[in-house]
Amino acid sequence: GGKGLVFPAVPNEHEWPSAVRICLYAFGLIYFFLGVAIIADIFMDSIGKVTSLRVQKVDKGKPATRKFWNETVATLTLMALGSSAPEIFLSVIDIVKKEFHFGMLGPSTIVGSAA
Protein backbone atom coordinates (compact mmCIF):
# COMPACT_ATOMS: atom_id res chain seq x y z
CA GLY A 1 0.00 0.00 0.00
CA GLY A 2 2.09 2.91 -1.25
CA LYS A 3 0.95 6.40 -2.13
CA GLY A 4 0.26 6.66 -5.82
CA LEU A 5 -1.44 9.24 -7.98
CA VAL A 6 -4.46 6.98 -8.57
CA PHE A 7 -3.88 3.73 -6.68
CA PRO A 8 -4.67 2.90 -3.98
CA ALA A 9 -8.02 4.47 -4.78
CA VAL A 10 -9.13 4.72 -1.15
CA PRO A 11 -7.22 4.75 2.14
CA ASN A 12 -6.37 1.33 3.59
CA GLU A 13 -7.28 -0.40 0.35
CA HIS A 14 -4.39 -2.80 0.79
CA GLU A 15 -6.25 -4.26 3.77
CA TRP A 16 -9.24 -5.32 1.65
CA PRO A 17 -9.55 -8.95 0.61
CA SER A 18 -7.71 -9.71 -2.63
CA ALA A 19 -10.88 -11.00 -4.32
CA VAL A 20 -12.66 -7.66 -3.79
CA ARG A 21 -9.72 -5.70 -5.17
CA ILE A 22 -9.41 -8.04 -8.15
CA CYS A 23 -13.10 -7.64 -8.98
CA LEU A 24 -12.99 -3.85 -8.68
CA TYR A 25 -9.84 -3.48 -10.75
CA ALA A 26 -11.13 -5.94 -13.38
CA PHE A 27 -14.36 -3.94 -13.62
CA GLY A 28 -12.32 -0.74 -13.97
CA LEU A 29 -10.16 -2.22 -16.72
CA ILE A 30 -13.15 -3.49 -18.67
CA TYR A 31 -14.90 -0.12 -18.27
CA PHE A 32 -11.92 1.84 -19.57
CA PHE A 33 -11.19 -0.58 -22.43
CA LEU A 34 -14.81 -0.27 -23.56
CA GLY A 35 -14.45 3.50 -23.40
CA VAL A 36 -11.33 3.39 -25.57
CA ALA A 37 -13.10 1.05 -28.02
CA ILE A 38 -16.06 3.43 -28.33
CA ILE A 39 -13.80 6.44 -28.86
CA ALA A 40 -11.72 4.56 -31.44
CA ASP A 41 -14.90 3.55 -33.28
CA ILE A 42 -16.09 7.16 -33.38
CA PHE A 43 -12.65 8.28 -34.56
CA MET A 44 -12.56 5.71 -37.37
CA ASP A 45 -16.09 6.70 -38.43
CA SER A 46 -14.98 10.33 -38.63
CA ILE A 47 -12.07 9.31 -40.86
CA GLY A 48 -14.58 7.59 -43.14
CA LYS A 49 -16.73 10.72 -43.28
CA VAL A 50 -13.76 12.96 -44.05
CA THR A 51 -12.40 10.72 -46.79
CA SER A 52 -15.83 10.18 -48.43
CA LEU A 53 -16.40 13.89 -49.12
CA ARG A 54 -17.00 14.49 -52.82
CA VAL A 55 -17.10 17.72 -54.83
CA GLN A 56 -18.56 18.57 -58.22
CA LYS A 57 -16.47 20.44 -60.73
CA VAL A 58 -17.12 21.34 -64.32
CA ASP A 59 -14.54 19.70 -66.57
CA LYS A 60 -14.72 20.47 -70.31
CA GLY A 61 -18.30 21.65 -69.99
CA LYS A 62 -19.44 18.51 -68.16
CA PRO A 63 -20.04 18.23 -64.41
CA ALA A 64 -17.74 15.70 -62.82
CA THR A 65 -17.80 14.35 -59.28
CA ARG A 66 -14.50 13.52 -57.64
CA LYS A 67 -13.16 12.88 -54.18
CA PHE A 68 -12.02 15.94 -52.28
CA TRP A 69 -9.39 14.07 -50.24
CA ASN A 70 -6.92 11.45 -51.29
CA GLU A 71 -8.06 8.57 -49.07
CA THR A 72 -4.56 7.32 -48.30
CA VAL A 73 -3.17 10.72 -47.34
CA ALA A 74 -6.22 11.65 -45.26
CA THR A 75 -6.29 8.31 -43.44
CA LEU A 76 -2.56 8.35 -42.67
CA THR A 77 -2.68 11.96 -41.48
CA LEU A 78 -5.67 11.42 -39.21
CA MET A 79 -4.30 8.14 -37.86
CA ALA A 80 -0.96 9.80 -37.06
CA LEU A 81 -2.78 12.58 -35.23
CA GLY A 82 -4.95 10.10 -33.36
CA SER A 83 -2.08 7.86 -32.33
CA SER A 84 -0.01 10.83 -31.14
CA ALA A 85 -2.85 12.37 -29.14
CA PRO A 86 -1.86 10.72 -25.83
CA GLU A 87 1.70 12.04 -26.11
CA ILE A 88 0.45 15.51 -27.01
CA PHE A 89 -1.96 15.57 -24.06
CA LEU A 90 0.76 14.29 -21.73
CA SER A 91 3.06 17.07 -22.89
CA VAL A 92 0.34 19.70 -22.38
CA ILE A 93 -0.41 18.38 -18.88
CA ASP A 94 3.30 18.54 -18.01
CA ILE A 95 3.58 22.13 -19.24
CA VAL A 96 0.46 23.27 -17.36
CA LYS A 97 1.56 21.43 -14.20
CA LYS A 98 4.91 23.23 -14.24
CA GLU A 99 3.19 26.60 -14.69
CA PHE A 100 4.25 26.90 -18.34
CA HIS A 101 7.93 26.33 -17.65
CA PHE A 102 10.02 23.95 -19.68
CA GLY A 103 9.87 20.39 -18.37
CA MET A 104 11.74 17.28 -19.43
CA LEU A 105 8.64 15.15 -19.95
CA GLY A 106 7.01 17.20 -22.69
CA PRO A 107 9.76 17.40 -25.33
CA SER A 108 10.96 13.87 -24.59
CA THR A 109 7.47 12.51 -25.09
CA ILE A 110 6.97 14.20 -28.44
CA VAL A 111 10.44 13.31 -29.74
CA GLY A 112 10.05 9.72 -28.53
CA SER A 113 6.72 9.31 -30.27
CA ALA A 114 8.14 10.62 -33.55
CA ALA A 115 11.05 8.19 -33.58
Side-chain angles (χ1 to χ4, degrees):
K3 289 180 88 176
L5 184 62
V6 177
F7 298 108
V10 294
N12 300 325
E13 182 182 316
H14 62 280
E15 296 174 0
W16 293 5
S18 294
V20 172
R21 289 188 292 162
I22 289 171
C23 288
L24 287 175
Y25 288 138
F27 175 77
L29 280 172
I30 291 168
Y31 178 79
F32 285 115
F33 277 125
L34 284 174
V36 169
I38 291 168
I39 291 170
D41 191 40
I42 292 169
F43 182 73
M44 292 305 292
D45 188 46
S46 67
I47 288 176
K49 285 183 181 179
V50 168
T51 58
S52 67
L53 181 66
R54 296 182 180 273
V55 292
Q56 274 195 342
K57 290 200 172 192
V58 178
D59 188 27
K60 298 179 184 175
K62 294 183 181 179
T65 303
R66 66 176 186 88
K67 291 185 177 182
F68 185 75
W69 295 96
N70 179 330
E71 283 187 29
T72 305
V73 173
T75 302
L76 290 175
T77 303
L78 293 172
M79 286 302 295
L81 177 64
S83 65
S84 295
E87 289 88 0
I88 293 169
F89 287 133
L90 186 60
S91 176
V92 169
I93 289 169
D94 184 49
I95 289 171
V96 170
K97 191 174 179 181
K98 295 188 183 201
E99 298 176 354
F100 294 93
H101 291 284
F102 181 81
M104 288 305 295
L105 183 61
S108 302
T109 304
I110 301 301
V111 170
S113 70

